[in-house]
């Protein structure tokens, strides 16, 4: 019996040290700071990608872009600096050599292409029909072309500008292929995918383009220019109060007087003759 006890004790002495050492090594690994272990697993890669995406989103949000809204009598346009146009809408710039700003407006095809914009033609536009986009290129500032009092500049992020531009692009039925020459120098007609009617006017379309950028603008029930103009002016004042005005450098007071010399045709204010860029048709 005493011999068996001695044998068991000897075996325990031989076997316990390896397990004890393994347990101590495991304990040391468990207690080691996690930051000292390189992360090469999928979770670490995903975390790095998320961090990069967050940083990119932050940089995108920090960049300010201006969306211009112009009132041309009863009609309104939305526009951008040519350098701020992003794909695919920036391809339209090729149709306007030397352009600095590009504006887009929506209208009724029958009325816009009519040689005589008479009262019967205006009434016909109230019935649902094909729409048309009128693009206007400017070689000088929107304030110079339309008059400072008729231009609202809204400060937005890159993403918001991209969303509004995507809305405009999807409104062009044939992409960058013009439908016809425009009614004045520096303008082109493009076939439109939306339909025009008494309840979906040029002003409704511009309101929808701003809604696409998640701006606090409502488009439901917007038919007349005044209904949208009051909204964008209110938003511009709110941005100015928070130091986010996108108006940029203000023109001298006398520059606004250029507006008085603009020709008044085609259901809205035609830009000053010297601001458009495409040679006369």
């Amino acid at each position: 019996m005493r011999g068996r006890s001695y044998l068991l004790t000897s075996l325990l002495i031989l076997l316990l040290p390896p397990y004890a050492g393994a347990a101590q090594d495991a304990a040391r690994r468990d207690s080691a700071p996690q930051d000292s272990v390189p992360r090469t697993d999928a979770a670490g890669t995903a975390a790095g990608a998320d961090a990069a995406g967050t940083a990119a989103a932050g940089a995108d949000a920090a960049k300010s872009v201006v969306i211009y809204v112009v009132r041309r009598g009863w009609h309104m346009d939305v526009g951008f600096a040519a350098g701020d146009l992003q794909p695919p809408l920036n391809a339209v710039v090729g149709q306007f050599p030397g352009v600095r700003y590009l504006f887009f407006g929506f209208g009724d095809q029958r009325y816009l292409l009519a040689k005589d914009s008479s009262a019967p033609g205006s009434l016909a536009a109230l019935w649902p029909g094909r729409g048309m986009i009128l693009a206007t290129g400017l070689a000088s500032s929107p304030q110079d072309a339309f008059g400072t009092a008729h231009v609202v500049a809204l400060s937005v992020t890159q993403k918001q500008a991209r969303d509004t531009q995507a809305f405009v692009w999807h409104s062009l039925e044939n992409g960058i292929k013009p439908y016809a020459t425009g009614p004045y120098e520096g303008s082109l007609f493009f076939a439109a995918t939306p339909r025009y009617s008494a309840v979906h006017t040029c002003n409704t379309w511009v309101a929808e383009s701003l809604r696409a950028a998640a701006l606090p603008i409502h488009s439901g029930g917007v038919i007349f220019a005044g209904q949208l103009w009051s909204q964008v002016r209110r938003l511009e004042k709110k941005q100015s109060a928070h130091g986010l005005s996108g108006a940029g450098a203000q023109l001298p007071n006398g520059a606004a007087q250029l507006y008085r010399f603009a020709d008044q045709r085609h259901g809205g204010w035609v830009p000053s003759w010297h601001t458009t860029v495409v040679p006369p048709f």
Side-chain angles (χ1 to χ4, degrees):
M1 180 66 103
R2 188 177 294 177
R4 291 180 181 176
S5 298
Y6 178 78
L7 181 60
L8 290 173
T9 302
S10 299
L11 289 173
L12 288 172
I13 292 173
L14 292 173
L15 294 174
L16 280 177
Y19 289 107
Q24 291 174 357
D25 290 342
R28 280 194 295 269
R29 285 195 302 269
D30 291 341
S31 62
Q34 294 298 315
D35 293 341
S36 64
V37 181
R39 299 190 65 180
T40 58
D41 57 357
T45 303
D50 289 344
T54 302
D60 180 76
K63 296 178 182 178
S64 177
V65 179
V66 174
I67 295 178
Y68 294 94
V69 183
V70 167
R71 182 169 184 175
R72 306 170 68 175
W74 52 260
H75 175 84
M76 295 183 72
D77 279 3
V78 61
F80 313 86
D84 290 336
L85 289 172
Q86 304 175 51
L89 189 61
N90 62 347
V92 180
V93 173
Q95 302 288 340
F96 298 86
V99 68
R100 288 181 56 200
Y101 297 89
L102 198 56
F103 282 79
F104 301 89
F106 176 68
D108 177 74
Q109 184 183 91
R110 292 164 298 187
Y111 177 77
L112 292 177
L113 296 182
K115 294 182 179 180
D116 180 19
S117 299
S118 59
S122 299
L123 292 176
L126 299 178
W127 295 99
R130 290 188 59 83
M132 184 154 283
I133 301 293
L134 173 63
T136 301
L138 303 180
S140 59
S141 73
Q143 292 88 345
D144 195 7
F146 301 105
T148 304
H150 305 279
V151 178
V152 163
L154 301 176
S155 180
V156 299
T157 65
Q158 290 274 356
K159 182 182 184 306
Q160 288 176 304
R162 184 165 56 248
D163 290 343
T164 292
Q165 291 172 22
F167 175 88
V168 174
W169 174 257
H170 290 303
S171 295
L172 302 177
E173 188 175 79
N174 298 314
I176 63 173
K177 182 180 179 181
Y179 184 90
T181 56
Y184 47 82
E185 180 186 355
S187 64
L188 290 171
F189 284 126
F190 293 84
T193 54
R195 292 177 66 81
Y196 187 95
S197 72
V199 294
H200 189 262
T201 68
C202 54
N203 307 305
T204 316
W205 182 83
V206 173
E208 290 173 343
S209 74
L210 301 177
R211 286 280 299 168
L215 289 170
I217 299 293
H218 69 81
S219 59
V222 171
I223 298 174
F224 303 107
Q227 294 175 286
L228 178 57
W229 189 244
S230 60
Q231 293 188 71
V232 295
R233 288 294 301 272
R234 185 163 54 248
L235 179 56
E236 184 186 43
K237 290 180 180 179
K238 184 177 180 180
Q239 289 188 347
S240 298
H242 290 82
L244 297 174
S245 176
Q250 294 297 318
L251 296 173
N253 291 335
Q257 303 302 319
L258 292 172
Y259 173 80
R260 296 181 180 178
F261 301 102
D263 190 13
Q264 298 179 25
R265 294 177 301 183
H266 188 60
W269 306 119
V270 175
S272 300
W273 65 270
H274 64 285
T275 63
T276 48
V277 296
V278 176
F281 299 110

